DNA sequence: TGAATTGACATACGGTACGTATGTCACCAT
DNA sequence: ATGGTGACATACGTACCGTATGTCAATTCA
């Protein structure tokens, strides 16, 4: 059997640690996750962790970037399936709401991420969700589908509303029942950005 | 000089610890705040802390409740000064946005609170801000100033939008410049809940 | 009034976790 | 083949939390 190349095993170990971090952070939260247990669970030691990610927060940052990227991907997929441009924006927002049902997203990206890494705007991952919304709003304003509103401000409010509603849905006793109520209110409120029929 | 009564010194120590916790959590964040330093800074030891608040999170919960209460107070004051009922709701929202400029509010209530104490809906303080908004929306819907929308959902979205916009404002390089943009977009979006003229 | 008791807080201790400094061994270049 | 590099393991120091135990002043009661 051919000797495994050095670079390959390193990439493999990085991936293993990332996956373990994702699982541990989602299950126990960043603060309670033990790096000893985490690394041991994939047959490594803390040495590998500190070599690959610098420190505990470095691993969190990497996990956040990964999950954040997947969220943007999901949002794109959701908007692609919708009808006109306005419906696509709404679909994107509703997709965010639905995403927060995912414990990984909620715990890692929405709670521990901001608390331990600081404001999402300054993340290297640039908060992919927000970026996508900004682009969408940009186009909608250009096409006259939305009023001539401050692009970033509108995107921020839409994302914030969606994500906060999502936290509500996720923390409730019966998420499935709450979800449509949140989605409906979101559609309504977002309508505030549409031009008045005059 | 009359001997200090036991109950008095205890109340005083509780207050001192609360104030110290508030300062330390705001400055360093919950995770990094050392209970040894914190208690020493007010001339006590960890013994006093654990006797009064149970554990570190107990102190955080107490601090959160205090700040949360003050936020509700500020919101009430803001809405009281506004014109009609609709303007009062908007004023409340804008007050939340302004509040998140306060480092204590941002760090303690918006970031560390949810991360370490769980969803604000389940806090003993009941998330006073949200409660106030719910009541406001309730009245507005009853009076026909707002459409017949799901009360809690609408309140959640309004609060979420405002608070998230606030995080943006606070994290930006020039908060004073961003604030009006956020406030304006908020007014616009909230308008989505108003009845359509016709 | 003085002894007993309570309880608010201090002190001492154990356990755990992080980050770093150092060691080691496989892999790569020359 | 040999020396070097670097990915990772090991060992250590430090910090911190939570608890168990001690202590002394304030209160209570005879």
């Amino acid at each position: 059997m051919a000797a495994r190349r050095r670079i390959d095993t390193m990439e493999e170990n990085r991936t293993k640690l990332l996956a373990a971090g994702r699982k541990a952070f989602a299950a126990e939260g960043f603060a309670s996750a033990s790096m000893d247990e985490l690394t041991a669970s994939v047959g490594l030691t803390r040495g590998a962790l500190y070599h690959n990610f610098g420190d505990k927060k470095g691993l969190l940052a990497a996990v956040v970037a990964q999950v954040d990227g997947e969220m943007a991907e999901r949002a794109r997929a959701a908007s692609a399936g919708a009808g006109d441009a306005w419906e696509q924006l709404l679909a994107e927002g509703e997709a965010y709401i639905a995403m927060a049902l995912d414990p990984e997203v909620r715990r890692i990206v929405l709670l521990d991420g901001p608390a331990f890494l600081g404001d999402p705007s300054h993340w290297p991952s640039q908060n992919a969700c927000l970026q996508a919304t900004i682009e969408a709003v940009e186009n909608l304003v250009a096409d006259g589908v939305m009023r001539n509103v401050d692009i970033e401000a509108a995107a921020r409010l839409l994302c914030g509303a969606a994500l906060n509603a999502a936290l509500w849905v996720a923390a409730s006793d019966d998420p499935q029942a709450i979800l449509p109520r949140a989605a409906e209110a979101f559609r309504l409120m977002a309508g505030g950005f549409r031009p008045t029929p005059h």
Side-chain angles (χ1 to χ4, degrees), chain A:
Chain A
M1 153 175 173
R4 307 176 46 72
R5 287 203 358 207
R6 221 163 160 212
I7 272 249
D8 288 344
T9 71
M10 188 180 178
E11 192 52 40
E12 232 181 71
N13 286 341
R14 257 191 72 92
T15 305
K16 278 200 251 181
L17 289 171
L18 251 173
R22 198 169 161 158
K23 199 187 303 181
F25 293 154
E28 314 166 39
F30 176 74
S32 301
S34 160
M35 294 300 99
D36 274 325
E37 290 181 14
L38 186 152
T39 51
S41 77
V42 293
L44 295 167
T45 69
R46 282 208 330 275
L49 171 73
Y50 285 90
H51 188 75
N52 278 289
F53 296 97
D55 62 355
K56 190 180 179 183
K57 278 159 107 170
L59 178 61
L60 176 61
V63 171
V64 161
Q66 190 184 51
V67 178
D68 197 38
E70 290 175 17
M71 289 173 70
E73 190 61 38
R74 279 202 258 174
R76 257 196 299 278
S79 81
D84 63 21
W86 177 249
E87 282 299 325
Q88 287 180 6
L89 181 72
L90 293 180
E92 218 174 273
E94 288 175 17
Y96 292 151
I97 297 181
M99 277 181 223
L101 289 176
D102 182 341
E104 282 183 344
V105 169
R106 194 166 72 247
R107 179 83 242 182
I108 298 174
V109 177
L110 302 183
L111 294 178
D112 286 344
F116 290 98
L117 301 179
D119 190 83
S121 329
H122 298 145
W123 294 353
S125 74
Q126 282 286 44
N127 207 358
C129 289
L130 178 62
Q131 287 303 325
T133 305
I134 286 179
E135 283 171 33
V137 171
E138 216 153 22
N139 294 329
L140 288 169
V141 170
D143 297 349
V145 179
M146 276 178 67
R147 296 163 81 150
N148 188 26
V149 68
D150 186 298
I151 306 282
E152 187 175 359
R156 291 268 182 185
L157 287 169
L158 287 170
C159 272
L163 293 178
N164 204 278
L167 285 174
W168 169 43
V169 171
S172 73
D173 297 329
D174 186 1
Q176 296 305 330
I178 301 282
L179 186 74
R181 292 170 57 192
E184 172 60 22
F186 177 77
R187 297 179 72 90
L188 211 57
M189 189 171 73
F193 285 131
R194 304 213 69 176
T196 49
H198 144 84

